Amino acid sequence: MKKITTLIAAFIYMGLSAQLPDNLDYVSPFHEGFAAIQKENKWAFMDDTGNIAIDYRDDFYWNTDAKASYNDIRVITYPQFSSGRCVVQKIVDGIPMFGFIDTTGQLVIEYQFLNVAPFQNGLTTGIIFEKVFRGKNEFNLDIYEFKFHEVLMDADGNIIEFLNRRDNIQMTKRRYRTPEIRSKILNGNLIAVEKDNLWEIKKLDF
């Protein structure tokens, strides 16, 4: 009887072990109940029981040269959740654009950012753009006008405030450079915004 019990326990253990991720290239610390795991260039999220909560995909953003001093997308060493949101990216005409998924893996904030900071206290700052069709030129090619804004946004994708208008951003692959974010969320009450190379502190009133 003891042998049978031992065998049953062994099979249960083997079954549970077989379900856990293995052969991983990287395992991150837990953030908000999820840890990112990497296989080659794909990432997934596992929950605190070791089960895969969001399956492997290749659209998570991460930066092997991340530094804590960065105030934008480059600070992200590995995918992680903050305020229930995680950055994803897609490339459109050679230009990276960023959005956010929720903890179910669903896209909840569209790919509208050219640069964005991770969420902090339920808020983020980032640079969004509008692409407005203006007609066709003499070669029958479409003409577009781009408008750029640095904004403060909540975790539901609502723009809380337009912080400043951004100019001189080139939207062609050859000339494009990721625009710098010129604002910093300091805490749940204050934000710093740079204007004319000087910083001002503003209260978050909403």
Side-chain angles (χ1 to χ4, degrees), residues 21 31-38 42-48 50-60 79-81 84-88 100-107:
H31 296 271
E32 299 188 355
F34 298 92
I37 54 178
Q38 181 189 21
K42 291 188 177 183
W43 292 83
F45 278 103
M46 68 177 181
D47 62 22
D48 56 10
N51 290 319
I52 300 293
I54 298 176
D55 208 355
Y56 291 96
R57 48 198 286 179
D58 60 6
D59 61 345
F60 287 116
Q80 60 182 273
F81 281 98
R85 301 291 180 261
C86 179
V87 177
V88 287
F100 290 87
I101 62 168
D102 63 13
T103 55
T104 70
Q106 297 299 309
L107 186 70

Coordinates of all heavy atoms in Angstrom, one line a residue, residues 21 31-38 42-48 50-60 79-81 84-88 100-107:
P21 N 7.1 26.1 -16.8 CA 8.0 26.4 -17.9 C 9.4 26.0 -17.7 O 9.9 25.9 -16.5 CB 7.9 28.0 -17.9 CG 6.6 28.3 -17.2 CD 6.5 27.2 -16.1
H31 N 6.1 41.2 -10.8 CA 5.5 42.6 -10.7 C 4.0 42.4 -10.8 O 3.5 41.9 -11.8 CB 6.0 43.5 -11.8 CG 7.5 43.7 -11.8 ND1 8.1 44.8 -11.1 CD2 8.5 43.1 -12.4 CE1 9.4 44.8 -11.2 NE2 9.7 43.7 -12.0
E32 N 3.3 42.9 -9.8 CA 1.9 42.8 -9.7 C 1.3 41.4 -10.0 O 0.4 41.2 -10.7 CB 1.3 43.8 -10.7 CG 1.7 45.3 -10.4 CD 0.9 46.3 -11.2 OE1 0.2 45.9 -12.1 OE2 1.1 47.5 -11.0
G33 N 2.1 40.4 -9.5 CA 1.6 39.1 -9.6 C 2.0 38.3 -10.8 O 1.6 37.1 -11.0
F34 N 2.8 38.9 -11.7 CA 3.3 38.3 -12.9 C 4.8 38.4 -13.1 O 5.4 39.4 -12.8 CB 2.6 38.9 -14.1 CG 1.1 38.7 -14.1 CD1 0.3 39.7 -13.6 CD2 0.5 37.6 -14.6 CE1 -1.1 39.6 -13.5 CE2 -0.9 37.4 -14.6 CZ -1.7 38.4 -14.0
A35 N 5.4 37.3 -13.6 CA 6.8 37.4 -14.0 C 6.9 37.1 -15.4 O 6.3 36.2 -16.0 CB 7.6 36.3 -13.2
A36 N 7.8 37.9 -16.1 CA 8.1 37.7 -17.5 C 9.1 36.5 -17.7 O 10.1 36.5 -17.0 CB 8.6 38.9 -18.2
I37 N 8.8 35.7 -18.7 CA 9.8 34.6 -19.0 C 10.1 34.7 -20.5 O 9.2 35.0 -21.3 CB 9.2 33.2 -18.6 CG1 7.8 33.0 -19.2 CG2 9.2 33.1 -17.1 CD1 7.3 31.6 -18.9
Q38 N 11.3 34.4 -20.8 CA 11.8 34.6 -22.2 C 12.3 33.3 -22.8 O 13.1 32.5 -22.1 CB 12.9 35.6 -22.2 CG 13.4 35.9 -23.6 CD 14.6 36.8 -23.6 OE1 15.3 36.9 -22.6 NE2 14.9 37.5 -24.8
K42 N 11.0 35.7 -27.8 CA 9.6 35.7 -27.4 C 9.5 35.7 -25.9 O 10.3 35.1 -25.2 CB 8.8 34.6 -28.0 CG 8.6 34.7 -29.5 CD 7.6 33.6 -30.0 CE 7.4 33.8 -31.5 NZ 6.4 32.8 -32.0
W43 N 8.4 36.4 -25.4 CA 8.2 36.5 -23.9 C 6.8 36.1 -23.6 O 5.9 36.1 -24.5 CB 8.3 38.0 -23.5 CG 9.7 38.5 -23.5 CD1 10.3 39.1 -24.6 CD2 10.6 38.7 -22.5 NE1 11.6 39.5 -24.3 CE2 11.8 39.3 -23.0 CE3 10.6 38.3 -21.1 CZ2 12.9 39.5 -22.2 CZ3 11.7 38.6 -20.3 CH2 12.9 39.2 -20.9
A44 N 6.6 35.6 -22.4 CA 5.3 35.2 -21.9 C 5.3 35.7 -20.4 O 6.3 36.1 -19.9 CB 5.1 33.7 -22.0
F45 N 4.1 35.6 -19.8 CA 3.9 35.9 -18.4 C 3.4 34.7 -17.7 O 2.5 34.0 -18.2 CB 3.0 37.1 -18.2 CG 3.6 38.4 -18.4 CD1 3.3 39.1 -19.6 CD2 4.4 39.0 -17.4 CE1 3.9 40.4 -19.8 CE2 5.0 40.2 -17.6 CZ 4.7 40.9 -18.8
M46 N 4.0 34.4 -16.5 CA 3.5 33.3 -15.7 C 3.0 34.0 -14.4 O 3.4 35.0 -14.0 CB 4.5 32.3 -15.4 CG 5.7 32.7 -14.5 SD 6.8 31.3 -14.1 CE 8.0 32.2 -13.1
D47 N 2.0 33.3 -13.8 CA 1.4 33.8 -12.5 C 2.2 33.2 -11.4 O 3.2 32.5 -11.6 CB -0.1 33.5 -12.4 CG -0.4 32.0 -12.4 OD1 0.5 31.2 -12.1 OD2 -1.5 31.6 -12.8
D48 N 1.8 33.5 -10.1 CA 2.6 33.1 -9.0 C 2.5 31.6 -8.6 O 3.1 31.2 -7.7 CB 2.2 34.0 -7.8 CG 0.7 33.9 -7.4 OD1 0.0 33.1 -8.0 OD2 0.3 34.7 -6.6
G50 N 3.2 29.5 -11.3 CA 4.0 29.0 -12.3 C 3.3 28.7 -13.6 O 3.9 28.2 -14.6
N51 N 2.0 28.9 -13.6 CA 1.2 28.7 -14.9 C 1.4 29.9 -15.8 O 1.5 31.0 -15.4 CB -0.3 28.5 -14.5 CG -0.5 27.2 -13.8 OD1 0.1 26.2 -14.1 ND2 -1.4 27.2 -12.8
I52 N 1.3 29.5 -17.1 CA 1.4 30.6 -18.1 C 0.1 31.4 -18.2 O -1.0 30.8 -18.4 CB 1.7 30.0 -19.5 CG1 3.0 29.2 -19.6 CG2 1.7 31.1 -20.6 CD1 4.2 30.1 -19.4
A53 N 0.2 32.6 -17.9 CA -1.0 33.5 -17.9 C -1.2 34.2 -19.2 O -2.3 34.4 -19.7 CB -0.9 34.5 -16.8
I54 N -0.1 34.6 -19.8 CA -0.2 35.2 -21.2 C 0.9 34.4 -22.0 O 2.1 34.4 -21.6 CB 0.1 36.7 -21.2 CG1 -0.9 37.4 -20.4 CG2 0.2 37.2 -22.6 CD1 -0.7 38.9 -20.2
D55 N 0.5 33.8 -23.1 CA 1.4 32.9 -23.9 C 2.5 33.7 -24.6 O 2.4 35.0 -24.7 CB 0.6 32.1 -24.9 CG 1.2 30.8 -25.2 OD1 2.3 30.5 -24.7 OD2 0.6 30.0 -26.0
Y56 N 3.4 33.0 -25.1 CA 4.6 33.6 -25.7 C 4.2 34.4 -26.9 O 3.3 34.0 -27.7 CB 5.6 32.5 -26.2 CG 6.3 31.8 -25.0 CD1 5.8 30.6 -24.5 CD2 7.4 32.4 -24.4 CE1 6.4 30.0 -23.5 CE2 8.0 31.7 -23.4 CZ 7.5 30.5 -22.9 OH 8.1 29.9 -21.8
R57 N 4.8 35.6 -27.1 CA 4.5 36.5 -28.2 C 5.7 37.4 -28.4 O 6.5 37.5 -27.5 CB 3.2 37.3 -27.9 CG 3.2 38.0 -26.6 CD 1.8 38.4 -26.1 NE 1.4 39.6 -26.9 CZ 0.2 40.2 -26.7 NH1 -0.7 39.7 -25.8 NH2 -0.1 41.3 -27.4
D58 N 5.8 38.0 -29.6 CA 7.0 38.7 -30.0 C 6.8 40.2 -30.0 O 7.6 40.9 -30.6 CB 7.5 38.2 -31.3 CG 6.5 38.4 -32.4 OD1 5.5 38.9 -32.2 OD2 6.9 37.9 -33.6
D59 N 5.7 40.7 -29.4 CA 5.4 42.1 -29.5 C 5.7 42.9 -28.2 O 5.4 44.1 -28.1 CB 4.0 42.4 -30.0 CG 2.9 41.9 -29.1 OD1 3.2 41.0 -28.2 OD2 1.7 42.2 -29.3
F60 N 6.1 42.2 -27.2 CA 6.5 42.9 -26.0 C 7.7 43.7 -26.2 O 8.7 43.3 -26.9 CB 6.8 41.9 -24.8 CG 5.5 41.3 -24.3 CD1 5.4 39.9 -24.4 CD2 4.6 42.0 -23.6 CE1 4.2 39.3 -23.9 CE2 3.4 41.4 -23.2 CZ 3.3 40.0 -23.3
P79 N 9.7 42.9 -20.1 CA 8.3 43.2 -20.0 C 7.8 43.1 -18.5 O 8.2 42.2 -17.8 CB 7.6 42.1 -20.9 CG 8.7 41.7 -21.8 CD 10.0 41.8 -21.0
Q80 N 7.0 44.0 -18.1 CA 6.4 43.9 -16.8 C 5.1 44.7 -16.7 O 4.9 45.7 -17.5 CB 7.4 44.5 -15.7 CG 7.9 45.9 -15.9 CD 8.9 46.3 -14.9 OE1 8.6 46.8 -13.8 NE2 10.2 46.2 -15.3
F81 N 4.3 44.4 -15.7 CA 3.1 45.1 -15.5 C 3.2 46.2 -14.5 O 3.9 46.0 -13.5 CB 2.0 44.1 -15.1 CG 1.4 43.4 -16.2 CD1 1.8 42.1 -16.5 CD2 0.4 43.9 -17.0 CE1 1.2 41.4 -17.5 CE2 -0.1 43.2 -18.1 CZ 0.3 42.0 -18.3
G84 N -1.4 47.5 -13.9 CA -2.2 46.6 -14.7 C -1.9 46.7 -16.2 O -2.7 46.2 -17.0
R85 N -0.9 47.4 -16.6 CA -0.6 47.6 -18.0 C 0.8 47.2 -18.4 O 1.7 47.4 -17.6 CB -0.8 49.1 -18.4 CG -2.2 49.6 -18.1 CD -3.2 49.0 -19.0 NE -4.6 49.4 -18.8 CZ -5.5 48.7 -18.1 NH1 -5.2 47.6 -17.6 NH2 -6.7 49.2 -18.0
C86 N 1.0 46.7 -19.6 CA 2.4 46.3 -20.1 C 2.5 46.8 -21.5 O 1.6 46.7 -22.3 CB 2.5 44.8 -20.0 SG 4.1 44.2 -20.6
V87 N 3.7 47.4 -21.8 CA 4.0 48.0 -23.1 C 4.1 46.9 -24.2 O 4.8 45.9 -24.0 CB 5.2 48.8 -23.1 CG1 5.5 49.4 -24.5 CG2 5.1 50.0 -22.1
V88 N 3.5 47.1 -25.3 CA 3.7 46.3 -26.5 C 4.0 47.2 -27.7 O 3.7 48.4 -27.6 CB 2.5 45.4 -26.9 CG1 2.3 44.3 -25.9 CG2 1.2 46.2 -26.9
F100 N -0.5 49.4 -25.0 CA -0.5 48.7 -23.7 C -1.6 47.6 -23.7 O -2.7 47.7 -24.3 CB -0.8 49.6 -22.5 CG 0.3 50.6 -22.2 CD1 0.3 51.8 -22.9 CD2 1.2 50.3 -21.3 CE1 1.3 52.7 -22.6 CE2 2.2 51.2 -21.0 CZ 2.3 52.4 -21.6
I101 N -1.2 46.4 -23.2 CA -2.1 45.3 -22.9 C -2.5 45.3 -21.4 O -1.8 45.9 -20.6 CB -1.6 44.0 -23.4 CG1 -0.3 43.6 -22.5 CG2 -1.3 43.9 -24.9 CD1 0.1 42.2 -22.7
D102 N -3.6 44.6 -21.1 CA -3.9 44.4 -19.7 C -3.5 43.0 -19.3 O -2.8 42.3 -20.1 CB -5.4 44.6 -19.5 CG -6.3 43.6 -20.3 OD1 -5.8 42.6 -20.8 OD2 -7.5 43.8 -20.3
T103 N -3.8 42.6 -18.1 CA -3.3 41.3 -17.6 C -4.0 40.1 -18.2 O -3.6 38.9 -17.9 CB -3.5 41.3 -16.1 OG1 -4.9 41.5 -15.8 CG2 -2.6 42.3 -15.4
T104 N -4.9 40.3 -19.1 CA -5.5 39.1 -19.9 C -4.8 39.0 -21.3 O -5.1 38.1 -22.0 CB -7.0 39.3 -20.1 OG1 -7.3 40.4 -21.0 CG2 -7.7 39.5 -18.8
G105 N -3.9 40.0 -21.6 CA -3.2 40.0 -22.9 C -4.0 40.8 -23.9 O -3.5 40.8 -25.1
Q106 N -5.1 41.4 -23.6 CA -5.8 42.2 -24.6 C -5.3 43.6 -24.7 O -4.9 44.2 -23.7 CB -7.3 42.3 -24.1 CG -8.0 40.9 -24.1 CD -8.0 40.2 -25.4 OE1 -8.4 40.8 -26.4 NE2 -7.6 39.0 -25.4
L107 N -5.2 44.1 -25.9 CA -4.8 45.5 -26.2 C -5.9 46.4 -25.7 O -7.0 46.4 -26.1 CB -4.6 45.7 -27.7 CG -4.0 47.0 -28.1 CD1 -2.5 47.1 -27.6 CD2 -4.1 47.3 -29.6

